mmCIF file of all heavy atoms in Angstrom:
data_model
loop_
_atom_site.group_PDB
_atom_site.id
_atom_site.type_symbol
_atom_site.label_atom_id
_atom_site.label_comp_id
_atom_site.label_asym_id
_atom_site.label_seq_id
_atom_site.Cartn_x
_atom_site.Cartn_y
_atom_site.Cartn_z
ATOM 1 N N THR A 156 0.846 -1.180 0.000
ATOM 2 C CA THR A 156 0.000 0.000 0.000
ATOM 3 C C THR A 156 0.891 1.243 0.000
ATOM 4 O O THR A 156 2.102 1.166 0.236
ATOM 5 C CB THR A 156 -0.894 0.038 1.243
ATOM 6 O OG1 THR A 156 -0.066 0.171 2.408
ATOM 7 C CG2 THR A 156 -1.736 -1.226 1.357
ATOM 8 N N THR A 157 0.290 2.393 -0.252
ATOM 9 C CA THR A 157 1.014 3.658 -0.188
ATOM 10 C C THR A 157 1.721 3.807 1.155
ATOM 11 O O THR A 157 2.896 4.185 1.225
ATOM 12 C CB THR A 157 0.028 4.826 -0.393
ATOM 13 O OG1 THR A 157 -0.515 4.722 -1.717
ATOM 14 C CG2 THR A 157 0.714 6.175 -0.240
ATOM 15 N N ARG A 158 1.029 3.491 2.245
ATOM 16 C CA ARG A 158 1.580 3.653 3.584
ATOM 17 C C ARG A 158 2.758 2.708 3.831
ATOM 18 O O ARG A 158 3.674 3.036 4.585
ATOM 19 C CB ARG A 158 0.478 3.405 4.628
ATOM 20 C CG ARG A 158 0.857 3.785 6.053
ATOM 21 C CD ARG A 158 -0.331 3.620 6.987
ATOM 22 N NE ARG A 158 -1.456 4.466 6.632
ATOM 23 C CZ ARG A 158 -1.592 5.730 7.028
ATOM 24 N NH1 ARG A 158 -0.676 6.286 7.795
ATOM 25 N NH2 ARG A 158 -2.644 6.438 6.656
ATOM 26 N N GLN A 159 2.729 1.545 3.182
ATOM 27 C CA GLN A 159 3.789 0.550 3.397
ATOM 28 C C GLN A 159 5.063 0.861 2.605
ATOM 29 O O GLN A 159 6.112 0.302 2.891
ATOM 30 C CB GLN A 159 3.272 -0.839 3.017
ATOM 31 C CG GLN A 159 2.233 -1.382 3.979
ATOM 32 C CD GLN A 159 1.583 -2.653 3.456
ATOM 33 O OE1 GLN A 159 1.323 -2.798 2.243
ATOM 34 N NE2 GLN A 159 1.298 -3.579 4.341
ATOM 35 N N LYS A 160 4.994 1.748 1.613
ATOM 36 C CA LYS A 160 6.159 2.026 0.773
ATOM 37 C C LYS A 160 6.985 3.223 1.243
ATOM 38 O O LYS A 160 8.205 3.223 1.100
ATOM 39 C CB LYS A 160 5.705 2.274 -0.681
ATOM 40 C CG LYS A 160 5.266 1.011 -1.397
ATOM 41 C CD LYS A 160 5.071 1.231 -2.879
ATOM 42 C CE LYS A 160 3.809 2.020 -3.160
ATOM 43 N NZ LYS A 160 3.505 2.076 -4.607
ATOM 44 N N HIS A 161 6.319 4.252 1.778
ATOM 45 C CA HIS A 161 7.026 5.477 2.151
ATOM 46 C C HIS A 161 6.509 6.044 3.463
ATOM 47 O O HIS A 161 5.332 5.881 3.795
ATOM 48 C CB HIS A 161 6.862 6.564 1.069
ATOM 49 C CG HIS A 161 7.430 6.214 -0.254
ATOM 50 N ND1 HIS A 161 6.705 5.607 -1.244
ATOM 51 C CD2 HIS A 161 8.682 6.391 -0.756
ATOM 52 C CE1 HIS A 161 7.476 5.405 -2.302
ATOM 53 N NE2 HIS A 161 8.682 5.881 -2.037
ATOM 54 N N THR A 162 7.395 6.724 4.188
ATOM 55 C CA THR A 162 6.978 7.545 5.322
ATOM 56 C C THR A 162 7.329 8.995 4.996
ATOM 57 O O THR A 162 8.086 9.271 4.057
ATOM 58 C CB THR A 162 7.683 7.129 6.623
ATOM 59 O OG1 THR A 162 9.099 7.289 6.459
ATOM 60 C CG2 THR A 162 7.374 5.679 6.969
ATOM 61 N N ARG A 163 6.792 9.906 5.793
ATOM 62 C CA ARG A 163 7.079 11.332 5.599
ATOM 63 C C ARG A 163 7.554 11.915 6.923
ATOM 64 O O ARG A 163 6.949 11.702 7.965
ATOM 65 C CB ARG A 163 5.847 12.067 5.069
ATOM 66 C CG ARG A 163 5.422 11.544 3.703
ATOM 67 C CD ARG A 163 4.502 12.499 2.977
ATOM 68 N NE ARG A 163 4.133 12.005 1.654
ATOM 69 C CZ ARG A 163 4.861 12.135 0.557
ATOM 70 N NH1 ARG A 163 6.024 12.757 0.612
ATOM 71 N NH2 ARG A 163 4.442 11.666 -0.598
ATOM 72 N N GLU A 164 8.672 12.645 6.849
ATOM 73 C CA GLU A 164 9.263 13.254 8.034
ATOM 74 C C GLU A 164 9.310 14.766 7.831
ATOM 75 O O GLU A 164 9.845 15.241 6.826
ATOM 76 C CB GLU A 164 10.665 12.691 8.272
ATOM 77 C CG GLU A 164 11.248 13.094 9.614
ATOM 78 C CD GLU A 164 12.533 12.337 9.942
ATOM 79 O OE1 GLU A 164 13.079 11.657 9.043
ATOM 80 O OE2 GLU A 164 12.987 12.430 11.089
ATOM 81 N N CYS A 165 8.739 15.504 8.785
ATOM 82 C CA CYS A 165 8.583 16.946 8.643
ATOM 83 C C CYS A 165 9.368 17.685 9.721
ATOM 84 O O CYS A 165 9.293 17.320 10.905
ATOM 85 C CB CYS A 165 7.107 17.336 8.755
ATOM 86 S SG CYS A 165 6.001 16.348 7.728
ATOM 87 N N PHE A 166 10.086 18.708 9.318
ATOM 88 C CA PHE A 166 10.814 19.584 10.239
ATOM 89 C C PHE A 166 10.182 20.972 10.107
ATOM 90 O O PHE A 166 10.221 21.575 9.026
ATOM 91 C CB PHE A 166 12.302 19.603 9.905
ATOM 92 C CG PHE A 166 12.961 18.275 10.134
ATOM 93 C CD1 PHE A 166 12.952 17.291 9.146
ATOM 94 C CD2 PHE A 166 13.581 17.995 11.346
ATOM 95 C CE1 PHE A 166 13.541 16.053 9.366
ATOM 96 C CE2 PHE A 166 14.178 16.759 11.573
ATOM 97 C CZ PHE A 166 14.151 15.790 10.584
ATOM 98 N N VAL A 167 9.588 21.445 11.207
ATOM 99 C CA VAL A 167 8.723 22.625 11.147
ATOM 100 C C VAL A 167 9.201 23.701 12.120
ATOM 101 O O VAL A 167 9.501 23.408 13.284
ATOM 102 C CB VAL A 167 7.264 22.234 11.490
ATOM 103 C CG1 VAL A 167 6.355 23.460 11.434
ATOM 104 C CG2 VAL A 167 6.769 21.143 10.546
ATOM 105 N N VAL A 168 9.265 24.939 11.623
ATOM 106 C CA VAL A 168 9.500 26.106 12.470
ATOM 107 C C VAL A 168 8.146 26.765 12.697
ATOM 108 O O VAL A 168 7.493 27.201 11.738
ATOM 109 C CB VAL A 168 10.466 27.103 11.810
ATOM 110 C CG1 VAL A 168 10.683 28.312 12.722
ATOM 111 C CG2 VAL A 168 11.797 26.428 11.480
ATOM 112 N N ALA A 169 7.711 26.817 13.967
ATOM 113 C CA ALA A 169 6.407 27.395 14.295
ATOM 114 C C ALA A 169 6.572 28.811 14.831
ATOM 115 O O ALA A 169 7.611 29.163 15.411
ATOM 116 C CB ALA A 169 5.691 26.523 15.318
ATOM 117 N N GLU A 170 5.529 29.612 14.631
ATOM 118 C CA GLU A 170 5.524 30.948 15.232
ATOM 119 C C GLU A 170 5.541 30.819 16.757
ATOM 120 O O GLU A 170 5.028 29.837 17.312
ATOM 121 C CB GLU A 170 4.254 31.706 14.817
ATOM 122 C CG GLU A 170 4.216 32.116 13.369
ATOM 123 C CD GLU A 170 2.903 32.800 13.019
ATOM 124 O OE1 GLU A 170 2.058 32.978 13.935
ATOM 125 O OE2 GLU A 170 2.721 33.141 11.833
ATOM 126 N N GLU A 171 6.128 31.801 17.410
ATOM 127 C CA GLU A 171 6.150 31.789 18.878
ATOM 128 C C GLU A 171 4.717 31.817 19.399
ATOM 129 O O GLU A 171 3.894 32.634 18.976
ATOM 130 C CB GLU A 171 6.920 33.019 19.395
ATOM 131 C CG GLU A 171 7.218 32.935 20.879
ATOM 132 C CD GLU A 171 8.156 34.051 21.338
ATOM 133 O OE1 GLU A 171 8.786 34.687 20.467
ATOM 134 O OE2 GLU A 171 8.233 34.277 22.543
ATOM 135 N N GLY A 172 4.419 30.870 20.280
ATOM 136 C CA GLY A 172 3.082 30.803 20.859
ATOM 137 C C GLY A 172 2.074 30.041 20.034
ATOM 138 O O GLY A 172 0.917 29.886 20.452
ATOM 139 N N ALA A 173 2.448 29.551 18.850
ATOM 140 C CA ALA A 173 1.510 28.796 18.011
ATOM 141 C C ALA A 173 1.182 27.451 18.649
ATOM 142 O O ALA A 173 1.977 26.885 19.394
ATOM 143 C CB ALA A 173 2.116 28.585 16.621
ATOM 144 N N ASP A 174 -0.002 26.944 18.345
ATOM 145 C CA ASP A 174 -0.460 25.652 18.884
ATOM 146 C C ASP A 174 0.190 24.524 18.067
ATOM 147 O O ASP A 174 -0.263 24.188 16.970
ATOM 148 C CB ASP A 174 -1.984 25.577 18.785
ATOM 149 C CG ASP A 174 -2.550 24.305 19.423
ATOM 150 O OD1 ASP A 174 -1.781 23.345 19.620
ATOM 151 O OD2 ASP A 174 -3.757 24.287 19.709
ATOM 152 N N ARG A 175 1.234 23.959 18.629
ATOM 153 C CA ARG A 175 1.995 22.947 17.886
ATOM 154 C C ARG A 175 1.181 21.674 17.662
ATOM 155 O O ARG A 175 1.320 21.023 16.618
ATOM 156 C CB ARG A 175 3.297 22.636 18.621
ATOM 157 C CG ARG A 175 4.262 23.824 18.651
ATOM 158 C CD ARG A 175 5.597 23.454 19.269
ATOM 159 N NE ARG A 175 6.571 24.531 19.138
ATOM 160 C CZ ARG A 175 7.861 24.397 19.407
ATOM 161 N NH1 ARG A 175 8.339 23.228 19.848
ATOM 162 N NH2 ARG A 175 8.687 25.425 19.247
ATOM 163 N N ASP A 176 0.372 21.307 18.632
ATOM 164 C CA ASP A 176 -0.461 20.099 18.463
ATOM 165 C C ASP A 176 -1.409 20.275 17.275
ATOM 166 O O ASP A 176 -1.601 19.358 16.479
ATOM 167 C CB ASP A 176 -1.256 19.815 19.735
ATOM 168 C CG ASP A 176 -0.370 19.296 20.860
ATOM 169 O OD1 ASP A 176 0.729 18.791 20.551
ATOM 170 O OD2 ASP A 176 -0.770 19.404 22.037
ATOM 171 N N ARG A 177 -2.022 21.463 17.169
ATOM 172 C CA ARG A 177 -2.921 21.721 16.035
ATOM 173 C C ARG A 177 -2.172 21.645 14.717
ATOM 174 O O ARG A 177 -2.640 21.029 13.748
ATOM 175 C CB ARG A 177 -3.575 23.103 16.184
ATOM 176 C CG ARG A 177 -4.393 23.505 14.933
ATOM 177 C CD ARG A 177 -4.820 24.959 14.960
ATOM 178 N NE ARG A 177 -3.716 25.896 15.044
ATOM 179 C CZ ARG A 177 -2.952 26.264 14.013
ATOM 180 N NH1 ARG A 177 -3.138 25.731 12.807
ATOM 181 N NH2 ARG A 177 -1.979 27.150 14.180
ATOM 182 N N ILE A 178 -0.991 22.262 14.661
ATOM 183 C CA ILE A 178 -0.201 22.241 13.431
ATOM 184 C C ILE A 178 0.143 20.810 13.038
ATOM 185 O O ILE A 178 -0.014 20.404 11.871
ATOM 186 C CB ILE A 178 1.083 23.087 13.602
ATOM 187 C CG1 ILE A 178 0.732 24.582 13.722
ATOM 188 C CG2 ILE A 178 2.041 22.861 12.428
ATOM 189 C CD1 ILE A 178 1.906 25.455 14.118
ATOM 190 N N ALA A 179 0.598 20.023 14.012
ATOM 191 C CA ALA A 179 0.971 18.632 13.726
ATOM 192 C C ALA A 179 -0.221 17.836 13.192
ATOM 193 O O ALA A 179 -0.089 17.056 12.234
ATOM 194 C CB ALA A 179 1.531 17.973 14.975
ATOM 195 N N GLN A 180 -1.396 18.045 13.795
ATOM 196 C CA GLN A 180 -2.581 17.315 13.342
ATOM 197 C C GLN A 180 -3.028 17.778 11.957
ATOM 198 O O GLN A 180 -3.451 16.963 11.125
ATOM 199 C CB GLN A 180 -3.721 17.487 14.356
ATOM 200 C CG GLN A 180 -3.502 16.744 15.671
ATOM 201 C CD GLN A 180 -3.184 15.272 15.454
ATOM 202 O OE1 GLN A 180 -3.892 14.572 14.717
ATOM 203 N NE2 GLN A 180 -2.106 14.800 16.082
ATOM 204 N N GLU A 181 -2.916 19.068 11.689
ATOM 205 C CA GLU A 181 -3.268 19.568 10.343
ATOM 206 C C GLU A 181 -2.364 18.952 9.284
ATOM 207 O O GLU A 181 -2.808 18.619 8.183
ATOM 208 C CB GLU A 181 -3.172 21.100 10.299
ATOM 209 C CG GLU A 181 -4.385 21.814 10.864
ATOM 210 C CD GLU A 181 -4.446 23.275 10.437
ATOM 211 O OE1 GLU A 181 -4.210 23.570 9.245
ATOM 212 O OE2 GLU A 181 -4.715 24.122 11.307
ATOM 213 N N ILE A 182 -1.077 18.813 9.619
ATOM 214 C CA ILE A 182 -0.149 18.184 8.676
ATOM 215 C C ILE A 182 -0.549 16.733 8.444
ATOM 216 O O ILE A 182 -0.729 16.293 7.297
ATOM 217 C CB ILE A 182 1.304 18.266 9.203
ATOM 218 C CG1 ILE A 182 1.785 19.721 9.232
ATOM 219 C CG2 ILE A 182 2.233 17.407 8.331
ATOM 220 C CD1 ILE A 182 3.110 19.914 9.949
ATOM 221 N N LYS A 183 -0.723 15.982 9.513
ATOM 222 C CA LYS A 183 -0.958 14.539 9.401
ATOM 223 C C LYS A 183 -2.287 14.205 8.719
ATOM 224 O O LYS A 183 -2.421 13.146 8.108
ATOM 225 C CB LYS A 183 -0.904 13.904 10.783
ATOM 226 C CG LYS A 183 0.493 13.927 11.398
ATOM 227 C CD LYS A 183 0.505 13.328 12.798
ATOM 228 C CE LYS A 183 1.901 13.357 13.392
ATOM 229 N NZ LYS A 183 1.952 12.751 14.746
ATOM 230 N N ARG A 184 -3.244 15.124 8.801
ATOM 231 C CA ARG A 184 -4.565 14.867 8.220
ATOM 232 C C ARG A 184 -4.735 15.457 6.829
ATOM 233 O O ARG A 184 -5.797 15.327 6.217
ATOM 234 C CB ARG A 184 -5.651 15.437 9.144
ATOM 235 C CG ARG A 184 -5.752 14.714 10.470
ATOM 236 C CD ARG A 184 -6.675 15.451 11.423
ATOM 237 N NE ARG A 184 -6.755 14.783 12.725
ATOM 238 C CZ ARG A 184 -7.264 15.334 13.819
ATOM 239 N NH1 ARG A 184 -7.744 16.573 13.770
ATOM 240 N NH2 ARG A 184 -7.298 14.663 14.952
ATOM 241 N N MET A 185 -3.712 16.109 6.314
ATOM 242 C CA MET A 185 -3.837 16.805 5.032
ATOM 243 C C MET A 185 -4.047 15.806 3.890
ATOM 244 O O MET A 185 -3.188 14.971 3.612
ATOM 245 C CB MET A 185 -2.572 17.633 4.770
ATOM 246 C CG MET A 185 -2.728 18.648 3.644
ATOM 247 S SD MET A 185 -1.181 19.552 3.318
ATOM 248 C CE MET A 185 -0.943 20.416 4.873
ATOM 249 N N PRO A 186 -5.211 15.876 3.206
ATOM 250 C CA PRO A 186 -5.463 14.927 2.110
ATOM 251 C C PRO A 186 -4.515 15.155 0.937
ATOM 252 O O PRO A 186 -4.053 16.273 0.709
ATOM 253 C CB PRO A 186 -6.919 15.227 1.720
ATOM 254 C CG PRO A 186 -7.173 16.613 2.206
ATOM 255 C CD PRO A 186 -6.312 16.824 3.407
#
C-alpha cells in the first residue's frame, strides 16, 4: 500500500506561541 512504501518526516519552524499540536494534526490529516 502507499503507507507501506514510504513515510514522511517533517521539520517545522512554528511561530512563537503557536499551537503545535494543532499544526501537527493539520499536517498529518492533510489529504
Side-chain angles (χ1 to χ4, degrees):
T156 65
T157 296
R158 190 175 299 275
Q159 290 171 322
K160 287 191 286 188
H161 297 92
T162 61
R163 298 198 178 277
E164 190 170 11
C165 311
F166 294 86
V167 180
V168 180
E170 290 177 2
E171 191 172 345
D174 184 342
R175 294 185 172 191
D176 288 339
R177 173 191 59 79
I178 292 171
Q180 289 307 310
E181 279 197 44
I182 293 170
K183 292 178 180 181
R184 293 171 182 166
M185 194 183 297

